[in-house]
Amino acid sequence: MKKFLATMLSLVVIPLILTAQSFEIKPVSADRPADATFRVPYMIKADVPSVLKPSSYQTLGAKYISFKTSSGNDLRGSWMFIEDTEPITYEPKSNTFVVAGRDIIATEEGQPFHLQTGIVYTISSNNNGKTWTTPTEIFRQQSNFDVMPTIAVANPSGSNDPADFSYFVYSRVARAEEGQTSAPFYGAHFIFVSPDGADQIALKGPDLNNPSQRQKWFKTNAVTTSKNDKDYAVLAGQLLPDEGFQGGNYGCAHIDMTDIDVLSSIPNAWAVTKFRQPDNPTSGSHYNNGIYIDNDANGTVYACVANMFVDDPESRVVGFSKSDDNGMTWSEFEKMSPQILSNYAVSQGAYKDSVFIAPYEANAFVVYGTDKFSYFTRLYVNMPYPIEDESHIVEIKYDEGTWSIHKVATLLNPEMAFGRMWAINLQKPQETSTDDELIPF
C-alpha cells in the first residue's frame, strides 16, 4: 500500500499529457433490419432537414443503443457519458430530467461510411427516472458524428411538456471525408432547440484569446440562467490543444438561448498562466484538473477547479471564479488555504503534510446559496507506519468566506478509487423486449 501511495504522490509533480482519444468511429451496418430486435443503430431514410422546423420535431421509433467498436465493445466512456460532461440535466418547474444522446445511422442500404449521418436526440423523465420517453431527434447532419453531449434546458412558460422547453446542446463533432475509415475531431456543434424550431453553430474552439484557434472544444458542462426575460446558458470546459500547444486551457461560452447567439473565449481570469506551468508546454502537458460550473438563485455563475496555482505551485487546492453577467467576464480565482488540508490530515491521525487532492479525476460541484458551495473530491491520506494508507471522498465547503472540509466516506479499496462512475443502468425499455439496452439512469 505504501508503494501504491508513493506512486500516486508522484502524480502531483508529473504533468498530465492530454491526448486525443484513440478510438475510431466505425461505420454502422446498412443492412435493413429483419425484425424489431435488430441491434444496430439504424433508421430507414427520413425526410428531416439539417435545420429542423417545428413540424419536424418528432418522436422517432428507432432503437438507440450505445455505439460499439467493430469488435462489439461499448464506447460509452468516450462517446456518451465521459467524465466532466453533463449529458443529463434537471428542469425544476416541471420536475423533468432530460438526457442528450447521440448515435450514427445509415439512411439507406449499402451507404458508405463517410455518407452516414450523426444524430443528436433527447429523452426525458418526469417521475425521477422510473420511466423515460422514446427518443426525440433534435439534430442530424451527414458525415458529422456528434459525441460527448452536454445539455442545458430552459422552461420560460413553466410547461410540463418537454416539447415546450428550450434546449441548448453542446456536442463534440468528428467529420468524415470520402475514403476515410475514421472521422477526425473538428471542434463542436452548438445546437439550439425551441418550440419554434432548431439551429446549430459549428465552432472549432473559443473565439477570443485563443491563439491561432489552436485550442479546440473538448469536455464541457453547462448551467442555465435567466435575466431580463431572456434565457442564457453558460458552458465551460477544458480544451484540447493542437499538437505543439500547451494543454490545460479552459474555455467558456456565453450562450443566448433566446436570440440563438454564442460568444466564447478563454477568459483572462482563467488563463493557463494562472496555474503551475509544465517544464515543456509544447508537449501538450499540464497539471490542471477539470473545471465545473453551477449558479445560485441570483444567477451568479461559479466556476471551480482543484489545481496547483502559480503562486503556490506545490499545493493542489480548490479555487473558484465568479461571473455576474452570464459568463461574459469572470473574477480572479479565490483559493482555499493549504492549511485546510493539513488540519484535516491531523484530524485523521495522519501527518499534517501527508494529505493531497487526487489529480486528474472527475469531481462534483454544487452551489447551494449565495457564496455557498460544496466541491466533492478524493483525498489520498498517507497514514503513519504501520497504519495502512487511505483514500477518502470528501466535501470541501465554502460558506461566505469560510472554508472547511468534511469526510463523506473512506474508500475501503484505494486501488479502486480512480475509476469513473457512469450514469448508466441496464434495463428493458419495453416489457415485451428480450434485449437489454443501455439507458441513462
Side-chain angles (χ1 to χ4, degrees):
M1 182 64 71
K2 294 292 183 183
K3 182 179 179 181
F4 162 75
L5 196 60
T7 300
M8 297 313 302
L9 278 166
S10 69
L11 288 177
V12 178
V13 294
I14 298 176
L16 173 70
I17 297 178
L18 182 62
T19 58
Q21 296 288 346
S22 59
F23 298 122
E24 290 185 341
I25 295 180
K26 297 292 188 180
V28 300
S29 170
D31 296 328
R32 182 181 297 275
D35 54 51
T37 62
F38 194 79
R39 291 178 62 84
V40 295
Y42 176 89
M43 288 193 305
I44 304 302
K45 187 175 182 180
D47 185 19
V48 181
S50 60
V51 177
L52 306 182
K53 300 301 180 184
S55 60
S56 298
Y57 191 91
Q58 59 182 301
T59 298
L60 302 175
K63 298 179 71 173
Y64 293 78
I65 61 177
S66 64
F67 191 63
K68 297 178 183 295
T69 65
S70 56
S71 59
N73 297 320
D74 291 327
L75 289 179
R76 58 181 141 175
S78 283
W79 306 109
M80 179 83 170
F81 294 95
I82 195 168
E83 72 278 2
D84 298 340
T85 63
E86 198 166 77
I88 185 167
T89 190
Y90 178 67
E91 200 295 297
K93 298 176 185 177
S94 60
N95 186 37
T96 301
F97 287 94
V98 183
V99 172
R102 33 68 55 219
D103 225 324
I104 299 173
I105 60 173
T107 54
E108 57 188 34
E109 295 183 26
Q111 190 168 52
F113 170 56
H114 74 279
L115 294 178
Q116 292 178 12
T117 297
I119 59 174
V120 180
Y121 63 89
T122 61
I123 61 174
S124 61
S125 173
N126 60 7
N127 56 11
N128 299 316
K130 294 179 182 178
T131 60
W132 294 86
T133 61
T134 54
T136 297
E137 181 180 322
I138 61 172
F139 177 72
R140 66 164 55 198
Q141 188 171 4
Q142 194 173 52
S143 305
N144 286 251
F145 307 138
D146 293 84
V147 298
M148 296 162 54
T150 282
I151 186 170
V153 60
N155 185 7
S157 66
S159 172
N160 289 323
D161 184 353
D164 295 330
F165 300 168
S166 295
Y167 302 93
F168 162 72
V169 177
Y170 161 95
S171 59
R172 194 180 181 206
V173 62
R175 290 183 170 176
E177 296 180 5
E178 185 173 1
Q180 290 181 333
T181 58
S182 63
F185 285 111
Y186 165 78
H189 280 148
F190 289 67
I191 303 168
F192 297 85
V193 181
S194 74
D196 298 324
D199 206 346
Q200 66 87 21
I201 300 171
L203 294 174
K204 184 177 180 180
D207 290 324
L208 302 178
N209 296 339
N210 188 353
S212 303
Q213 297 294 303
R214 296 297 188 179
Q215 298 285 335
K216 294 185 289 189
W217 290 107
F218 185 39
K219 300 183 291 187
T220 65
N221 56 115
V223 294
T224 306
T225 63
S226 297
K227 287 187 177 180
N228 301 322
D229 297 323
K230 277 192 174 185
D231 292 314
Y232 299 91
V234 181
L235 184 81
Q238 196 169 88
L239 303 172
L240 186 68
D242 282 348
E243 186 175 352
F245 288 80
Q246 184 173 353
N249 282 276
Y250 299 115
C252 177
H254 160 94
I255 297 146
D256 187 331
M257 296 175 66
T258 302
D259 294 336
I260 307 183
D261 193 20
V262 178
L263 298 175
S264 60
S265 69
I266 298 175
N268 290 325
W270 301 359
V272 73
T273 54
K274 306 285 183 178
F275 311 105
R276 177 172 174 166
Q277 298 296 290
D279 293 334
N280 182 12
T282 60
S283 68
S285 61
H286 64 89
Y287 291 92
N288 292 347
N289 271 345
I291 190 167
Y292 302 89
I293 60 174
D294 200 3
N295 58 302
D296 63 24
N298 299 320
T300 299
V301 183
Y302 302 70
C304 199
V305 298
N307 281 351
M308 297 166 132
F309 289 84
V310 69
D311 56 351
D312 187 3
E314 298 302 322
S315 300
R316 185 175 296 278
V317 297
V318 172
F320 70 96
S321 172
K322 296 197 299 185
S323 175
D324 294 320
D325 54 9
N326 306 305
M328 295 283 286
T329 58
W330 293 87
S331 67
E332 296 293 326
F333 280 96
E334 182 174 341
K335 295 154 283 187
M336 66 181 281
S337 167
Q339 188 65 40
I340 302 292
L341 294 174
S342 295
N343 293 343
Y344 180 81
V346 172
S347 74
Q348 301 300 306
Y351 297 119
K352 67 175 185 176
D353 296 324
S354 60
V355 168
F356 62 96
I357 295 174
Y360 322 131
E361 294 295 324
N363 295 319
F365 176 61
V366 59
V367 174
Y368 59 90
T370 303
D371 287 329
K372 297 181 179 182
F373 64 77
S374 293
Y375 187 91
F376 295 88
T377 188
R378 282 163 275 206
L379 292 186
Y380 304 131
V381 184
N382 191 3
M383 304 296 287
Y385 182 83
I387 304 173
E388 289 291 314
D389 299 323
E390 296 179 352
S391 291
H392 297 176
I393 295 176
V394 298
E395 175 190 18
I396 296 176
K397 295 183 69 172
Y398 180 85
D399 190 338
E400 297 180 333
T402 301
W403 293 90
S404 60
I405 183 170
H406 311 274
K407 183 165 70 172
V408 175
T410 298
L411 295 167
L412 299 181
N413 188 351
E415 287 92 340
M416 300 298 293
F418 316 113
R420 314 303 190 193
M421 293 179 290
W422 308 104
I424 290 183
N425 186 25
L426 285 174
Q427 57 179 295
K428 293 182 173 68
Q430 299 174 1
E431 292 182 2
T432 57
S433 174
T434 59
D435 295 323
D436 287 340
E437 292 188 277
L438 290 169
I439 303 294
F441 256 38

